[in-house]
Amino acid sequence: MRNIQCADITKTVKEMCIEASHFLTEDVAYALHKSVETEKSPLGKQVLCQLEENLQIAGDDMIPICQDTGMAVIFAEIGQDIHIEGGLLEDAINQGVREGYTEGFLRKSVVKCPIDRVNTKDNTPAVIHYDIVAGDKLKLTLAPKGFGSENMSRVFMLKPADGVEGIKDAIVTAVKDAGPNACPPMVVGVGIGGTFEKCAILAKKALTRDLGKRSDIPYIKDMEEEVLERINKLGIGPGGLGGSTTAFAVNINTYPTHIAGMPVAVNICCHVNRHSVREL
Ligand code: SF4
């Protein structure tokens, strides 16, 4: 049994909030950089260059990449051989978010109740997904989620008879309907299978996968590549101003499901596909 202190978790989450708001991971920054070369529309190219310049300024001057610094989503993979000391894990994570958003001067975008809309003023609570895994480590993945793109995400409760073509059409439909509202170029996270809520979590987690890494399952890999090609032929383009770069990647995760169903969730992220990963 390994002990991990709540204070260390809080400090780590705080640092991750600040890091993710100012720096994109290498794979996302590379996808943006590469798209400048491949984009066919001159206006689209210009938008991509501005996004690259914005990213550079964010890192150099420590100004958030986007004014919407998102709602903090955290995937916590908890090794079953660890013991958390000094309080509750959830409180430690939320304290890290509170300190990160306050000390990092990041926009506080969370309201306490979706009906009365009163801001919590410290961007808490985070949305936390817990997984118990083997080992004696605590792996935290923070993915602050902007809501321009979150609002354009969808769940489709397809029938098995809709088949693979039905799944592909659903993903393309979600992206087409999102259009410029999701601040393209987008990253498209897809969850197929499970239940209503499980497919949405699969889709959210898919957004944290390295953009250069395709699914290990050959027919899912093919689907990711085919759907990305279809999406990039929609012509939405960077900033929604037209072009051949509507999405950087389609990342699909799957899970077993019921014989009578085929849930498909499409979680769309903008080009500011932020995440930070740390292991304690
Ligand atoms: S969707 Fe992304 S780029 Fe658009 S405002 Fe939100 S965080 Fe910023």
Side-chain angles (χ1 to χ4, degrees):
M1 190 66 71
R2 213 179 125 242
N3 291 328
I4 297 181
Q5 302 298 323
C6 273
D8 292 335
I9 297 169
T10 294
K11 180 174 173 288
T12 302
V13 172
K14 170 182 144 180
E15 289 170 2
M16 291 165 86
C17 289
I18 296 173
E19 177 189 298
S21 294
H22 297 89
F23 304 94
L24 292 179
T25 47
E26 251 177 49
D27 58 313
V28 182
Y30 176 71
L32 175 59
H33 182 69
K34 205 177 78 179
S35 68
V36 176
E37 292 163 20
T38 55
E39 172 56 52
K40 295 192 173 70
S41 147
L43 184 54
K45 224 182 239 299
Q46 202 181 324
V47 172
L48 291 168
C49 287
Q50 286 174 349
L51 296 179
E52 266 216 299
E53 191 188 348
N54 177 65
L55 184 60
Q56 185 70 39
I57 293 170
D60 290 348
D61 298 350
M62 288 304 278
I63 297 167
I65 305 163
C66 181
Q67 43 76 35
D68 180 358
T69 47
M71 186 167 192
V73 176
I74 293 191
F75 291 96
E77 291 176 38
I78 307 162
Q80 63 179 2
D81 297 327
I82 65 166
H83 176 241
I84 310 284
E85 280 193 336
L88 291 176
L89 173 59
E90 185 163 330
D91 291 345
I93 290 174
N94 278 320
Q95 183 60 21
V97 170
R98 186 173 291 119
E99 290 179 13
Y101 275 74
T102 305
E103 293 176 31
F105 304 103
L106 308 176
R107 196 182 85 183
K108 326 295 186 295
S109 308
V110 175
V111 294
K112 189 169 184 199
C113 169
I115 308 304
D116 71 17
R117 317 294 302 178
V118 177
N119 198 302
T120 63
K121 297 199 168 76
D122 59 11
N123 222 49
T124 67
V127 174
I128 310 170
H129 303 290
Y130 300 99
D131 270 319
I132 306 293
V133 299
D136 63 356
K137 301 273 190 309
L138 171 64
K139 183 177 171 191
L140 298 171
T141 302
L142 168 84
K145 190 66 173 68
F147 263 54
S149 53
E150 190 73 354
N151 283 342
M152 306 318 291
S153 301
R154 307 266 288 271
V155 171
F156 299 85
M157 296 306 286
L158 300 182
K159 304 289 175 287
D162 291 318
V164 174
E165 291 310 312
I167 296 173
K168 293 179 199 163
D169 289 348
I171 303 168
V172 175
T173 298
V175 171
K176 197 172 168 188
D177 291 351
N181 294 332
C183 301
M186 315 169 197
V187 177
V188 185
V190 180
I192 307 174
T195 49
F196 180 78
E197 82 286 6
K198 179 71 181 177
C199 71
I201 296 170
L202 290 173
K204 176 72 73 195
K205 197 158 192 187
L207 289 173
T208 66
R209 193 209 299 164
D210 189 299
L211 298 190
K213 190 172 181 304
R214 302 276 45 85
S215 171
D216 295 333
I217 307 167
Y219 52 87
I220 298 296
K221 171 182 175 286
D222 292 347
M223 198 189 295
E224 289 175 341
E225 289 169 353
E226 186 190 325
V227 174
L228 178 64
E229 204 178 313
R230 277 179 65 182
I231 287 172
N232 282 332
K233 281 184 182 154
L234 289 173
I236 298 168
L241 296 171
S244 55
T245 319
T246 296
F248 292 142
V250 175
N251 288 356
I252 303 178
N253 284 345
T254 61
Y255 194 79
T257 191
H258 191 280
I259 49 171
M262 192 157 63
V264 177
V266 184
N267 194 195
I268 297 177
C269 194
C270 56
H271 59 280
V272 193
N273 183 34
R274 296 164 280 215
H275 46 275
S276 169
V277 185
R278 299 270 184 100
E279 201 170 70
L280 289 163

